[in-house]
Amino acid sequence: MTAPATAPEPGAAEATPAGALSQLIQESLDRGDSYQRIADRALDPETGETVSKPYLQRVVKNPPANPPTVPMMRAIAAALGKPFRRVQEATAEQWLLYEATELAGYDEEVRIIVGHLAGKSKAELMKWRYMIEAEERAKREAGE
């Protein structure tokens, strides 16, 4: 005899994908590292602050409500052998839902414009795109 499957309780939490910092730590674990070995290496070179094994486990399995502090991020970066900026970006993505994109070869003005466009609607983005493309076409046609 088979019993019918029960539907999930209303409001029951669904499984969510691991956040970006959780994934960085998990990748280290997947390569054979352990939480303890990561914690042993987690030392901020500027302040001497450390990150504990239980904290790393929480970040991966049940992330705390608040993101790690800057010294904790530096300690995690040192432990994982990653650049601080990568850990900082992963933290921002996981806790603030902010995804950073690196713009290389552009000046600060271009970075400001891109930052300004980040929150725009699709219609507004298309308008900006058409304006930029028209500007580029005009330059080419003028021989600049």
Side-chain angles (χ1 to χ4, degrees):
M1 175 176 176
T2 46
T6 56
E9 300 256 344
E14 292 183 25
T16 56
L21 184 60
S22 300
Q23 289 174 357
L24 282 181
I25 297 168
Q26 185 62 53
E27 287 168 7
S28 186
L29 296 168
D30 292 345
R31 287 190 303 271
D33 225 336
S34 70
Y35 285 111
Q36 188 59 58
R37 285 195 303 265
I38 297 170
D40 290 345
R41 296 189 307 262
L43 174 69
D44 174 17
E46 292 183 28
T47 66
E49 185 167 337
T50 61
V51 176
S52 69
K53 173 185 169 183
Y55 180 81
L56 294 167
Q57 289 171 318
R58 276 196 313 277
V59 169
V60 172
K61 297 181 184 301
N62 186 22
N66 294 319
T69 63
V70 171
M72 292 169 78
M73 286 188 285
R74 284 193 297 255
I76 292 169
L80 299 178
K82 302 278 185 192
F84 169 72
R85 183 166 178 95
R86 177 67 191 106
V87 171
Q88 186 180 39
E89 289 170 354
T91 299
E93 187 177 335
Q94 182 163 337
W95 273 270
L96 303 175
L97 305 178
Y98 175 81
E99 194 166 340
T101 301
E102 181 64 30
L103 295 175
Y106 295 99
D107 63 13
E108 190 58 32
E109 189 172 312
V110 170
R111 293 175 201 272
I112 291 168
I113 292 169
V114 171
H116 173 74
L117 294 176
K120 300 291 184 188
S121 69
K122 187 169 181 149
E124 290 173 306
L125 290 174
M126 287 178 67
K127 178 177 123 182
W128 276 88
R129 180 179 177 180
Y130 293 146
M131 287 189 306
I132 292 167
E133 288 172 350
E135 165 84 12
E136 291 300 314
R137 257 191 321 277
K139 284 181 182 178
R140 279 193 308 273
E141 289 171 6
E144 289 181 26

Short mmCIF file of all heavy atoms in Angstrom, two decimals, residues 80-116:
data_model
loop_
_atom_site.label_atom_id
_atom_site.label_comp_id
_atom_site.label_asym_id
_atom_site.label_seq_id
_atom_site.Cartn_x
_atom_site.Cartn_y
_atom_site.Cartn_z
N LEU A 80 41.98 30.93 3.01
CA LEU A 80 41.61 30.30 1.75
C LEU A 80 42.63 30.52 0.65
O LEU A 80 42.54 29.93 -0.43
CB LEU A 80 40.24 30.81 1.28
CG LEU A 80 39.06 30.53 2.21
CD1 LEU A 80 37.79 31.15 1.64
CD2 LEU A 80 38.88 29.05 2.46
N GLY A 81 43.61 31.41 0.92
CA GLY A 81 44.59 31.73 -0.11
C GLY A 81 43.98 32.52 -1.25
O GLY A 81 44.40 32.39 -2.40
N LYS A 82 42.97 33.32 -0.94
CA LYS A 82 42.27 34.13 -1.94
C LYS A 82 42.58 35.60 -1.69
O LYS A 82 42.85 36.01 -0.56
CB LYS A 82 40.75 33.94 -1.84
CG LYS A 82 40.27 32.52 -2.00
CD LYS A 82 40.16 32.16 -3.44
CE LYS A 82 39.57 30.77 -3.60
NZ LYS A 82 39.71 30.28 -4.93
N PRO A 83 42.50 36.43 -2.73
CA PRO A 83 42.67 37.87 -2.51
C PRO A 83 41.54 38.40 -1.62
O PRO A 83 40.40 37.93 -1.70
CB PRO A 83 42.57 38.47 -3.92
CG PRO A 83 42.73 37.33 -4.87
CD PRO A 83 42.31 36.09 -4.14
N PHE A 84 41.88 39.39 -0.79
CA PHE A 84 40.87 40.00 0.09
C PHE A 84 39.67 40.47 -0.73
O PHE A 84 38.52 40.27 -0.33
CB PHE A 84 41.47 41.17 0.88
CG PHE A 84 40.42 41.98 1.59
CD1 PHE A 84 39.77 41.46 2.70
CD2 PHE A 84 40.07 43.24 1.14
CE1 PHE A 84 38.79 42.19 3.36
CE2 PHE A 84 39.09 43.98 1.78
CZ PHE A 84 38.45 43.45 2.90
N ARG A 85 39.93 41.08 -1.88
CA ARG A 85 38.84 41.62 -2.70
C ARG A 85 37.85 40.52 -3.09
O ARG A 85 36.64 40.74 -3.12
CB ARG A 85 39.39 42.30 -3.94
CG ARG A 85 38.32 42.94 -4.79
CD ARG A 85 38.94 43.89 -5.80
NE ARG A 85 37.92 44.46 -6.63
CZ ARG A 85 37.34 45.64 -6.41
NH1 ARG A 85 37.69 46.35 -5.38
NH2 ARG A 85 36.42 46.09 -7.22
N ARG A 86 38.33 39.31 -3.38
CA ARG A 86 37.43 38.20 -3.75
C ARG A 86 36.53 37.81 -2.57
O ARG A 86 35.34 37.57 -2.75
CB ARG A 86 38.27 37.00 -4.20
CG ARG A 86 37.45 35.79 -4.55
CD ARG A 86 36.59 36.03 -5.80
NE ARG A 86 35.64 34.97 -5.95
CZ ARG A 86 34.32 35.07 -5.70
NH1 ARG A 86 33.81 36.21 -5.32
NH2 ARG A 86 33.53 34.04 -5.86
N VAL A 87 37.10 37.77 -1.37
CA VAL A 87 36.30 37.44 -0.18
C VAL A 87 35.33 38.57 0.12
O VAL A 87 34.17 38.34 0.48
CB VAL A 87 37.22 37.14 1.03
CG1 VAL A 87 36.43 37.02 2.31
CG2 VAL A 87 38.02 35.86 0.75
N GLN A 88 35.76 39.80 -0.06
CA GLN A 88 34.90 40.97 0.15
C GLN A 88 33.71 40.93 -0.82
O GLN A 88 32.57 41.17 -0.43
CB GLN A 88 35.73 42.23 -0.04
CG GLN A 88 35.00 43.52 0.29
CD GLN A 88 35.91 44.72 0.06
OE1 GLN A 88 36.69 44.75 -0.90
NE2 GLN A 88 35.83 45.69 0.94
N GLU A 89 33.97 40.63 -2.09
CA GLU A 89 32.90 40.54 -3.08
C GLU A 89 31.94 39.41 -2.74
O GLU A 89 30.72 39.56 -2.86
CB GLU A 89 33.49 40.33 -4.47
CG GLU A 89 34.18 41.55 -5.02
CD GLU A 89 34.98 41.27 -6.30
OE1 GLU A 89 35.10 40.08 -6.71
OE2 GLU A 89 35.49 42.24 -6.87
N ALA A 90 32.47 38.27 -2.33
CA ALA A 90 31.63 37.12 -1.97
C ALA A 90 30.75 37.46 -0.76
O ALA A 90 29.57 37.09 -0.72
CB ALA A 90 32.49 35.89 -1.69
N THR A 91 31.31 38.19 0.19
CA THR A 91 30.56 38.60 1.38
C THR A 91 29.43 39.55 0.98
O THR A 91 28.28 39.39 1.42
CB THR A 91 31.49 39.26 2.41
OG1 THR A 91 32.48 38.31 2.79
CG2 THR A 91 30.74 39.73 3.63
N ALA A 92 29.74 40.52 0.12
CA ALA A 92 28.72 41.47 -0.33
C ALA A 92 27.61 40.75 -1.10
O ALA A 92 26.43 41.04 -0.93
CB ALA A 92 29.36 42.55 -1.20
N GLU A 93 27.99 39.78 -1.92
CA GLU A 93 27.01 39.03 -2.69
C GLU A 93 26.11 38.21 -1.77
O GLU A 93 24.89 38.18 -1.94
CB GLU A 93 27.71 38.13 -3.69
CG GLU A 93 26.77 37.43 -4.64
CD GLU A 93 27.50 36.60 -5.68
OE1 GLU A 93 28.68 36.90 -5.99
OE2 GLU A 93 26.89 35.65 -6.18
N GLN A 94 26.71 37.57 -0.77
CA GLN A 94 25.93 36.69 0.12
C GLN A 94 25.03 37.47 1.07
O GLN A 94 23.87 37.10 1.26
CB GLN A 94 26.86 35.77 0.90
CG GLN A 94 26.11 34.80 1.80
CD GLN A 94 26.97 33.65 2.26
OE1 GLN A 94 27.95 33.31 1.63
NE2 GLN A 94 26.58 33.03 3.35
N TRP A 95 25.52 38.53 1.65
CA TRP A 95 24.74 39.23 2.67
C TRP A 95 23.96 40.43 2.14
O TRP A 95 22.94 40.78 2.69
CB TRP A 95 25.63 39.65 3.83
CG TRP A 95 25.77 38.58 4.86
CD1 TRP A 95 24.98 38.38 5.95
CD2 TRP A 95 26.74 37.54 4.90
NE1 TRP A 95 25.39 37.28 6.65
CE2 TRP A 95 26.48 36.74 6.03
CE3 TRP A 95 27.81 37.20 4.08
CZ2 TRP A 95 27.25 35.63 6.37
CZ3 TRP A 95 28.58 36.09 4.41
CH2 TRP A 95 28.30 35.33 5.54
N LEU A 96 24.47 41.06 1.10
CA LEU A 96 23.81 42.27 0.60
C LEU A 96 23.14 42.05 -0.76
O LEU A 96 22.55 42.99 -1.31
CB LEU A 96 24.83 43.41 0.49
CG LEU A 96 25.56 43.76 1.77
CD1 LEU A 96 26.62 44.83 1.49
CD2 LEU A 96 24.59 44.22 2.84
N LEU A 97 23.27 40.85 -1.30
CA LEU A 97 22.76 40.53 -2.63
C LEU A 97 23.31 41.50 -3.66
O LEU A 97 22.64 41.91 -4.59
CB LEU A 97 21.22 40.56 -2.63
CG LEU A 97 20.55 39.65 -1.60
CD1 LEU A 97 19.04 39.80 -1.67
CD2 LEU A 97 20.96 38.21 -1.78
N TYR A 98 24.58 41.87 -3.49
CA TYR A 98 25.27 42.80 -4.38
C TYR A 98 26.35 42.05 -5.12
O TYR A 98 27.21 41.44 -4.50
CB TYR A 98 25.89 43.94 -3.57
CG TYR A 98 26.72 44.88 -4.41
CD1 TYR A 98 26.12 45.88 -5.15
CD2 TYR A 98 28.11 44.76 -4.46
CE1 TYR A 98 26.88 46.74 -5.92
CE2 TYR A 98 28.87 45.61 -5.23
CZ TYR A 98 28.25 46.60 -5.96
OH TYR A 98 29.01 47.44 -6.73
N GLU A 99 26.28 42.08 -6.43
CA GLU A 99 27.29 41.40 -7.22
C GLU A 99 28.17 42.44 -7.91
O GLU A 99 27.69 43.28 -8.66
CB GLU A 99 26.64 40.50 -8.27
CG GLU A 99 27.61 39.54 -8.87
CD GLU A 99 26.94 38.42 -9.64
OE1 GLU A 99 25.75 38.16 -9.41
OE2 GLU A 99 27.61 37.81 -10.46
N ALA A 100 29.45 42.38 -7.62
CA ALA A 100 30.39 43.34 -8.18
C ALA A 100 30.92 42.84 -9.51
O ALA A 100 31.12 41.65 -9.71
CB ALA A 100 31.56 43.54 -7.22
N THR A 101 31.13 43.76 -10.42
CA THR A 101 31.74 43.46 -11.71
C THR A 101 32.93 44.38 -11.86
O THR A 101 32.80 45.59 -11.69
CB THR A 101 30.74 43.68 -12.85
OG1 THR A 101 29.60 42.86 -12.63
CG2 THR A 101 31.36 43.35 -14.19
N GLU A 102 34.07 43.82 -12.14
CA GLU A 102 35.28 44.62 -12.28
C GLU A 102 35.32 45.26 -13.66
O GLU A 102 35.10 44.60 -14.67
CB GLU A 102 36.51 43.74 -12.09
CG GLU A 102 37.81 44.49 -12.19
CD GLU A 102 38.02 45.53 -11.11
OE1 GLU A 102 37.50 45.35 -10.01
OE2 GLU A 102 38.68 46.54 -11.39
N LEU A 103 35.58 46.55 -13.70
CA LEU A 103 35.75 47.27 -14.95
C LEU A 103 37.22 47.62 -15.07
O LEU A 103 37.73 48.41 -14.29
CB LEU A 103 34.92 48.57 -14.95
CG LEU A 103 33.41 48.40 -14.91
CD1 LEU A 103 32.74 49.75 -14.79
CD2 LEU A 103 32.94 47.70 -16.17
N ALA A 104 37.89 47.03 -16.01
CA ALA A 104 39.31 47.31 -16.18
C ALA A 104 39.50 48.24 -17.37
O ALA A 104 38.79 48.15 -18.37
CB ALA A 104 40.07 46.00 -16.41
N GLY A 105 40.45 49.15 -17.24
CA GLY A 105 40.79 50.02 -18.34
C GLY A 105 39.91 51.24 -18.50
O GLY A 105 39.97 51.91 -19.51
N TYR A 106 39.06 51.49 -17.52
CA TYR A 106 38.18 52.65 -17.59
C TYR A 106 38.49 53.60 -16.44
O TYR A 106 38.99 53.19 -15.40
CB TYR A 106 36.71 52.23 -17.50
CG TYR A 106 36.27 51.40 -18.68
CD1 TYR A 106 36.20 50.01 -18.59
CD2 TYR A 106 35.92 52.00 -19.88
CE1 TYR A 106 35.80 49.24 -19.66
CE2 TYR A 106 35.52 51.23 -20.96
CZ TYR A 106 35.46 49.86 -20.85
OH TYR A 106 35.07 49.11 -21.92
N ASP A 107 38.14 54.87 -16.64
CA ASP A 107 38.38 55.84 -15.58
C ASP A 107 37.22 55.84 -14.57
O ASP A 107 36.23 55.13 -14.75
CB ASP A 107 38.60 57.25 -16.17
CG ASP A 107 37.39 57.79 -16.91
OD1 ASP A 107 36.28 57.22 -16.78
OD2 ASP A 107 37.55 58.80 -17.61
N GLU A 108 37.37 56.63 -13.53
CA GLU A 108 36.38 56.68 -12.45
C GLU A 108 35.01 57.14 -12.95
O GLU A 108 33.98 56.70 -12.46
CB GLU A 108 36.88 57.60 -11.33
CG GLU A 108 36.05 57.54 -10.07
CD GLU A 108 35.95 56.14 -9.46
OE1 GLU A 108 36.91 55.36 -9.59
OE2 GLU A 108 34.91 55.83 -8.87
N GLU A 109 34.98 58.01 -13.97
CA GLU A 109 33.71 58.51 -14.50
C GLU A 109 32.88 57.36 -15.07
O GLU A 109 31.67 57.28 -14.85
CB GLU A 109 33.96 59.57 -15.57
CG GLU A 109 32.70 60.28 -16.01
CD GLU A 109 33.02 61.46 -16.91
OE1 GLU A 109 33.90 62.26 -16.57
OE2 GLU A 109 32.38 61.54 -17.96
N VAL A 110 33.52 56.44 -15.79
CA VAL A 110 32.81 55.31 -16.36
C VAL A 110 32.29 54.41 -15.23
O VAL A 110 31.16 53.92 -15.29
CB VAL A 110 33.71 54.51 -17.33
CG1 VAL A 110 33.06 53.20 -17.75
CG2 VAL A 110 34.03 55.36 -18.55
N ARG A 111 33.08 54.22 -14.21
CA ARG A 111 32.64 53.40 -13.08
C ARG A 111 31.41 53.99 -12.42
O ARG A 111 30.50 53.27 -12.01
CB ARG A 111 33.77 53.25 -12.05
CG ARG A 111 34.94 52.45 -12.55
CD ARG A 111 36.07 52.46 -11.50
NE ARG A 111 37.33 52.15 -12.09
CZ ARG A 111 37.82 50.92 -12.23
NH1 ARG A 111 37.14 49.91 -11.81
NH2 ARG A 111 38.99 50.74 -12.79
N ILE A 112 31.36 55.31 -12.30
CA ILE A 112 30.20 55.98 -11.71
C ILE A 112 28.97 55.77 -12.58
O ILE A 112 27.89 55.48 -12.08
CB ILE A 112 30.50 57.48 -11.50
CG1 ILE A 112 31.54 57.65 -10.39
CG2 ILE A 112 29.21 58.25 -11.15
CD1 ILE A 112 32.12 59.04 -10.28
N ILE A 113 29.12 55.89 -13.88
CA ILE A 113 27.99 55.69 -14.79
C ILE A 113 27.46 54.27 -14.66
O ILE A 113 26.25 54.05 -14.55
CB ILE A 113 28.39 56.02 -16.25
CG1 ILE A 113 28.64 57.52 -16.39
CG2 ILE A 113 27.30 55.55 -17.22
CD1 ILE A 113 29.30 57.91 -17.70
N VAL A 114 28.34 53.29 -14.67
CA VAL A 114 27.92 51.89 -14.55
C VAL A 114 27.21 51.66 -13.22
O VAL A 114 26.17 51.02 -13.16
CB VAL A 114 29.12 50.93 -14.73
CG1 VAL A 114 28.73 49.51 -14.39
CG2 VAL A 114 29.65 51.02 -16.15
N GLY A 115 27.75 52.22 -12.14
CA GLY A 115 27.10 52.10 -10.83
C GLY A 115 25.73 52.73 -10.84
O GLY A 115 24.78 52.20 -10.26
N HIS A 116 25.58 53.85 -11.53
CA HIS A 116 24.31 54.55 -11.62
C HIS A 116 23.28 53.71 -12.37
O HIS A 116 22.11 53.69 -12.03
CB HIS A 116 24.52 55.90 -12.32
CG HIS A 116 23.27 56.64 -12.62
ND1 HIS A 116 22.53 57.28 -11.66
CD2 HIS A 116 22.60 56.83 -13.79
CE1 HIS A 116 21.47 57.84 -12.22
NE2 HIS A 116 21.50 57.58 -13.52
#
